[in-house]
Structures are given as structure tokens and as C-alpha cells.
Amino acid sequence: RKSLEMVARDFLATTQTADEKQIRKDHHIKAFKNPSEMVVALTLAATKKATLSWDRLIVLGIMSGLYISIGGAVALTVGGGIQPVMSTVINGTLVAAETQIKVPILSKLVLAMVFPIALMLILFMGGELYTGNVMVMTLGILTQKVTILDLIKSLGVAFVSNYIGCVLGALACWGMGLFTADPYASFIQEVMIPKVSNNFGVNLLRGIPCNMLVCTAICIANTAEDVVGKVVGVWWPIFTFALAGFEHSIANMFFATLAALHGASWNYGTWFWQNLIAVLIGNTIGGGLFVAVVMWRCFYVTGKPPVVVQSEEKITPSGATYTKSPAITRKNRPVSDLEVEMAVVKVEKSDDIELDSHTPVNSSAAKNKVDKDQKDKDTI
């Protein structure tokens, strides 16, 4: 593995020629990763998650539950604070309270608008969220970067620690008395009504598109190279799932615990089985099957590697050819781990990628070719 990385770094170094420096001006930057690069970045994330110690994994999982609680508390505050009326005056006449025109979408709309702050906090602060780990660790399994035991450890610890964080967040909100008075107290119960009244199958189905959107948000965040791009990319998918009424298992931990602390009429154990377990299964299917498997099958290197960036064939002074990719290397900065990983994947997976028309890429041939090209450049 170390020799492959050395070859990859040398190969990438040879692509940054004088011609490339003229093509790529100082202000030219790569603003985002393409899907193939994004999948490799997520597989690297899987390997890092697999190496986390138990204590770090537990702490980061609890913090993720607390971040979900913060986002949920803000969402309940703005959602519950909007009275479900469109107007109290019609043609200059005050309408009686019992006949006011209700617009329930208003509270749902503002709730959905602010809830994405929860995932933003998790991504920027490096949390461990069960629903996101489903996609990342499944990609790690599919690309053979992690083991089944790594997946079980990551998902199991994340689930339990997320639950602890959400319970702590709900207890904190209850202890501070944030939602003890109406309209907030009644709004919490209103939010929980569909979650406890729907049957197991409905909750499971609502969990699938929810985590498809959550994992899509994580993919976009990994695609973007700047903070603004990550924020915008996260906001839209999370806003969509919250507005549509899909079910997120970790968020439900906070909402259900908070509602129970404020005197819910339904049974907590019934919610746990009928909603949480069902939504958890749906979230796992949505993130693992409909995102991780699809991204792996369509964009990860299998057989002949896909073109990671638009490439251009160059001829060395000796007459040999090699492929340069201007978007891979940037002027005045070292090669990143992602770029090395992409090159290593190419070397490992392919026998038909060539540095010239005769020599296929492998660890020894590639190293010899890199040395030869470097000597040619030094001679010139």
C-alpha cells in the first residue's frame, strides 16, 4: 500500500508541468468535487470512522444528539410560535377566533426552514450521526475499506449515543421550561400525532426518502469545497424532508422524549416500536441502499476507472505519452489525500490505463516511467 501511494504521488507530480501552470491561472480553483471524487472522499471518511476509539465515537455521537436537539428546539420555537391563522380581519371586520381561517402549512414551513441547522452543526463539528454513518460505512463495506465489525461498531455506538444526546437535550429543554406554556406545549403534541398514529409500515416508508435526502445533503456537503457551498447544499435537502413530513429516527428521539416529559397521552413504549424501530429500518434502507449502493455502483471505480476530471494527453521529450489532469493538482499546494487515493484506486483497479502506448500502469512500471519522465524534464 505504501509503495502504491508513493507511485501515485510521483505520478501526480509529473502531471503538473509548465504548460499546466500556464493553463491554470492563480485564480483558477476547483470549486467542487465531481461524483467520483466525492465517493472516494466518503470512502476515506469511512476508514477514518473505523479507526475512531470507543470514547471518541461515544462523545461525538452524544454531541450529535445534542445538535439534533438544538435544531429541534429552534424548529419547535418558530413553528409553535406561528398562530395557524391567515387573517383575523376580513373586509374590515374582526373574525371570531373560532372561525379564523387556519393555514397549518405556515408552522410546518418555518419549522422546516430552520431545522437544517442541526445537520450543519454535526457536519462542521465532526459529529457521528447514525443516519449519515449508514451511507458512509456502507460505502466503506462496498469498497472493501472497512469490515462488517467496523460497520456494526459505528452504527451501534452512534445509535445509542445519539439517543443519549437527544434525551439529554429534551431534559435540558424541559428543565429550562422552554415549552411548558401554550402554544408551544400543544404544538409539541401536535407534531407527535402523526408519528404515533401511523402504523409500522407507513412509518417505515416515510423513513426511506427521509434518509435519502439526509445522505444527499451529506454528499453535497462533501462535494462543496467552501463553507457557503456546504451550507446551501445541506439546507435544501433537509428543508425538503422536514416540509414533506418524512420521518427521521434520531430527530424523533428528541421530539418524542420532549413530548413525553410534557405529559403526552400516548405510550412511550408504543412509540418506540411503532415509530422509532420502523423509521430506523426505513432510514437504513434509504441511506444504505438508495444512496450508498447507487453511488458505489455508478461512480466508484470498477474495472476500467471513470474519468475523474477532464484529461489531456501530453507528449514528453522522449516521445512517450502520459495523461495530465489540470484539475487534479493545483499550483503551489501539496497533493491531498483524496488525490492520492484516486490515483491509487486507478493503479489498483486497472491494467489498461497506460502511461504510454506500451507500458500498463503497475507499481514498478509506473515508478520507472515517472523516473524516466522526470529525467527527461531535468534534461530539458
Side-chain angles (χ1 to χ4, degrees):
R1 175 67 183 189
K2 180 178 288 186
S3 62
L4 282 176
E5 290 187 359
M6 292 174 63
V7 171
R9 288 185 182 275
D10 289 340
F11 175 68
L12 287 169
T14 64
T15 66
Q16 192 172 9
T17 63
D19 290 340
E20 176 183 344
K21 293 179 181 179
Q22 293 177 2
I23 294 172
R24 296 187 60 80
K25 307 299 182 183
D26 289 339
H27 60 275
H28 287 175
I29 63 172
K30 194 168 187 295
F32 57 90
K33 303 180 186 73
N34 63 31
S36 296
E37 293 171 325
M38 181 265 294
V39 171
V40 171
L42 291 174
T43 61
L44 287 174
T47 61
K48 292 179 180 179
K49 288 179 182 292
T51 59
L52 284 176
S53 61
W54 286 88
D55 58 333
R56 291 181 63 188
L57 188 57
I58 291 171
V59 171
L60 291 175
I62 293 175
M63 291 304 300
S64 294
L66 289 172
Y67 292 141
I68 290 289
S69 301
I70 292 172
V74 174
L76 289 175
T77 300
V78 297
I82 291 191
Q83 297 298 320
V85 294
M86 182 172 66
S87 177
T88 58
V89 178
I90 297 180
N91 296 328
T93 304
L94 179 65
V95 180
E98 61 271 12
T99 61
Q100 288 178 349
I101 303 173
K102 294 186 176 181
V103 187
I105 190 61
L106 287 179
S107 58
K108 203 172 185 180
L109 180 64
V110 294
L111 183 151
M113 289 176 66
V114 299
F115 186 70
I117 190 176
L119 187 59
M120 293 178 194
L121 291 172
I122 292 172
L123 291 176
F124 290 139
M125 299 303 294
E128 291 291 317
L129 184 67
Y130 174 87
T131 47
N133 283 8
V134 167
M135 173 192 65
V136 174
M137 298 306 292
T138 301
L139 271 174
I141 291 291
L142 294 172
T143 56
Q144 301 180 357
K145 301 296 183 182
V146 301
T147 65
I148 294 293
L149 290 178
D150 293 329
L151 181 142
I152 294 174
K153 171 189 172 184
S154 178
L155 297 188
V157 176
F159 175 79
V160 174
S161 55
N162 288 169
Y163 206 150
I164 294 173
C166 288
V167 170
L168 291 175
L171 287 169
C173 292
W174 175 70
M176 291 183 287
L178 297 180
F179 305 105
T180 55
D182 281 332
Y184 305 106
S186 58
F187 183 69
I188 295 172
Q189 307 303 332
E190 182 182 335
V191 168
M192 287 301 301
I193 288 175
K195 300 181 184 297
V196 296
S197 59
N198 292 330
N199 60 42
F200 189 97
V202 170
N203 286 326
L204 188 151
L205 291 176
R206 289 190 178 190
I208 294 175
C210 170
N211 207 30
M212 289 175 61
L213 289 167
V214 170
C215 291
T216 299
I218 295 173
C219 288
I220 297 173
N222 277 273
T223 298
E225 298 284 0
D226 63 291
V227 173
V228 175
K230 292 177 185 291
V231 169
V232 175
V234 167
W235 190 87
W236 279 106
I238 305 303
F239 167 78
T240 302
F241 103 69
L243 184 62
F246 300 144
E247 296 285 344
H248 189 266
S249 55
I250 310 303
N252 286 354
M253 294 174 181
F254 168 74
F255 291 131
T257 304
L258 186 63
L261 291 171
H262 288 82
S265 58
W266 39 267
N267 184 273
Y268 196 83
T270 302
W271 162 81
F272 188 93
W273 163 251
Q274 189 167 306
N275 179 269
L276 181 60
I277 299 301
V279 174
L280 190 72
I281 295 173
N283 288 167
T284 304
I285 295 172
L289 178 61
F290 288 99
V291 180
V293 172
V294 171
M295 296 297 291
W296 166 76
R297 182 63 184 85
C298 295
F299 298 113
Y300 189 72
V301 178
T302 54
K304 184 175 181 179
V307 177
V308 177
V309 290
Q310 186 176 3
S311 60
E312 179 184 352
E313 195 173 70
K314 288 290 182 182
I315 301 176
T316 65
S318 64
T321 62
Y322 67 91
T323 299
K324 66 177 284 291
S325 300
I328 288 183
T329 57
R330 300 178 193 168
K331 186 177 180 181
N332 299 326
R333 73 156 178 82
V335 176
S336 69
D337 291 340
L338 171 61
E339 294 161 355
V340 172
E341 182 68 18
M342 292 298 297
V344 168
V345 168
K346 286 185 178 182
V347 172
E348 289 176 334
K349 294 287 185 179
S350 176
D351 291 329
D352 57 356
I353 287 185
E354 299 181 353
L355 289 177
D356 56 35
S357 57
H358 306 290
T359 308
V361 171
N362 55 57
S363 57
S364 59
K367 185 67 169 65
N368 293 337
K369 186 60 192 172
V370 169
D371 291 342
K372 185 175 184 301
D373 287 347
Q374 186 61 46
K375 290 178 180 178
D376 291 336
K377 290 168 65 178
D378 292 342
T379 301
I380 296 299

